[in-house]
Amino acid sequence: MSTDSNISQPHDRFLKELLSHPEQAATLLRERLPEAVVRFLSADPPESVPGSFVDRRLREHLSDRLFKVKTIDGRTAFLYVLIEHKSALDGKIGWQLLRYMVEILKQWEKENPDWKRLPAILPFVFYHGAAEWKIPDEFMALVDAEESWQPYLLNFRFPVLDLGKIPDPQLSGDRRLYVRLLAMKYATRSGQQLAIKELLIEALGNAPEELLPIMHYLVQTYTSYRKETLREIAQRVRPEEIDTMMSQFARDIIEGRDTEWRDIVRQEAMQQGMQQGMQQGMQQGMQQGMQQGMQQGKREGEAALLLRMLSRRFQTLPDHIPYRVYEADPNTIEIWADRVLDAKSLDEVFSE
């Protein structure tokens, strides 16, 4: 079994973060699993089992989440959620589920060598691709065999949650889960993203605590949203926190479209520094001090932004780096900032 550390797709990170909250995970599973399954689940929240069973070569469009649950009569079972993001479906999802369920059982057997009966594993497919899901929901559809043989062959069914088939108002009865599913539904439907802006703002207004993770997700996946649209959403949902949020984006440089957001925050840092410099100059009562303050504030704002970018990209920085950055002139800081996204090491950023 592999770990989660290499997951790179924003959809994977977003949904896995959602499912890491027991309350939201429990709500999603109870709302979307078959009633015949749900009525036997206990009231205890699902327990997340760390790790992933998906092949590395398939992680571009697949991720997974394994939960351990209790039934009302005390049995232990597993709910295996396979998350499919790809639009061009290959039809082999049943085979993938079988392989991953076998791996789950193999791991469970190592931990329970004296077992007498195996735990149940209920597979569940979460899909939010743009194309309609039309793949049969049972393993037998992949088997080339005589129909009369089917009672003697391995088979299982798996429920599929296709967000595209669910009307927006019915995505979830939970306000926080609803806005996340709404965002995921249209992340793969760029042609409809502008049309649901008002609906998204309304949903965020009902769950404002979800604004920051939703905004991060929109930046990475909503290709139809430009910086003005994203700023409008944040401004209308939490106007009092717009400056704090922009600072947060500076710390969490977003992959994929981070150059655009870097420029936004750089401009704000420059403006803030210039304003601080102007205040300092006015207090000194001298035009020269005002100009020097503006220049100093601009440089310090850019230096602070660069250090946040470096910390995000390379984690802990050597002690000498902040001193070097704050001593650099604005042109040099700009050159270093442009190198951050593509550099593989700090040496590449600061190379002469």
Side-chain angles (χ1 to χ4, degrees), residues 36-47:
V37 173
V38 172
R39 72 170 180 261
F40 287 102
L41 296 178
S42 73
D44 296 334
E47 177 185 343

Side-chain angles (χ1 to χ4, degrees), residues 199-258:
L199 181 60
L200 193 57
I201 292 173
E202 179 184 355
L204 281 168
N206 293 326
E209 63 270 45
E210 295 293 331
L211 179 59
L212 189 57
I214 293 289
M215 288 295 292
H216 278 203
Y217 185 60
L218 298 182
V219 168
Q220 297 173 88
T221 62
Y222 273 53
T223 56
S224 297
Y225 283 10
R226 309 303 340 139
K227 59 185 180 183
E228 295 83 5
T229 306
L230 294 162
R231 181 185 290 276
E232 178 191 356
I233 294 173
Q235 181 76 33
R236 290 175 60 183
V237 175
R238 280 194 165 177
E240 73 281 3
E241 296 186 12
I242 185 66
D243 294 334
T244 302
M245 182 167 296
M246 298 308 298
S247 177
Q248 180 69 33
F249 282 138
R251 291 193 296 271
D252 300 334
I253 297 300
I254 307 301
E255 299 176 4
R257 294 173 64 196
D258 43 15

Side-chain angles (χ1 to χ4, degrees), residues 146-162:
E146 299 293 339
E147 184 175 354
S148 61
W149 294 7
Q150 292 185 7
Y152 309 100
L153 299 176
L154 175 66
N155 191 27
F156 61 89
R157 297 184 62 186
F158 48 91
V160 177
L161 170 58
D162 181 357

Side-chain angles (χ1 to χ4, degrees), residues 84-230:
E84 168 68 82
H85 309 294
K86 194 169 68 171
S87 296
L89 303 169
D90 58 18
K92 297 179 181 178
I93 201 78
W95 168 238
Q96 292 161 356
L97 285 170
L98 177 61
R99 292 169 56 202
Y100 305 150
M101 288 191 291
V102 169
E103 290 300 318
I104 294 169
L105 288 175
K106 286 166 64 176
Q107 177 177 302
W108 181 87
E109 185 182 29
K110 291 179 181 178
E111 299 170 356
N112 300 270
D114 299 325
W115 65 276
K116 291 182 173 60
R117 301 185 71 181
L118 296 170
I121 302 179
L122 298 170
F124 173 58
V125 177
F126 181 106
Y127 172 67
H128 73 119
E132 182 181 355
W133 182 281
K134 296 182 179 180
I135 298 173
D137 62 353
E138 63 176 348
F139 177 75
M140 185 60 68
L142 297 174
V143 179
D144 185 14
E146 299 293 339
E147 184 175 354
S148 61
W149 294 7
Q150 292 185 7
Y152 309 100
L153 299 176
L154 175 66
N155 191 27
F156 61 89
R157 297 184 62 186
F158 48 91
V160 177
L161 170 58
D162 181 357
L163 289 184
K165 293 182 178 180
I166 303 175
D168 294 341
Q170 300 175 21
L171 285 170
S172 176
D174 179 88
R175 60 184 180 84
R176 299 181 66 178
L177 181 59
Y178 170 76
V179 69
R180 283 181 175 256
L181 294 182
L182 180 67
M184 291 200 73
K185 177 178 178 178
Y186 290 98
T188 56
R189 296 167 169 82
S190 60
Q192 303 176 57
Q193 289 170 357
L194 290 175
I196 61 106
K197 183 189 71 173
E198 293 299 324
L199 181 60
L200 193 57
I201 292 173
E202 179 184 355
L204 281 168
N206 293 326
E209 63 270 45
E210 295 293 331
L211 179 59
L212 189 57
I214 293 289
M215 288 295 292
H216 278 203
Y217 185 60
L218 298 182
V219 168
Q220 297 173 88
T221 62
Y222 273 53
T223 56
S224 297
Y225 283 10
R226 309 303 340 139
K227 59 185 180 183
E228 295 83 5
T229 306
L230 294 162

Side-chain angles (χ1 to χ4, degrees), residues 262-263 266 270 298-299 302-303 306 309 325 328-340 349:
R262 182 189 65 194
D263 291 342
R266 176 185 289 172
M270 289 171 59
K298 174 182 177 181
R299 186 173 68 179
E302 287 194 327
L306 175 58
M309 293 169 63
V325 170
D329 60 78
N331 290 336
T332 302
I333 290 176
E334 184 172 358
I335 291 172
W336 290 342
D338 288 336
R339 293 175 180 172
V340 169
V349 174

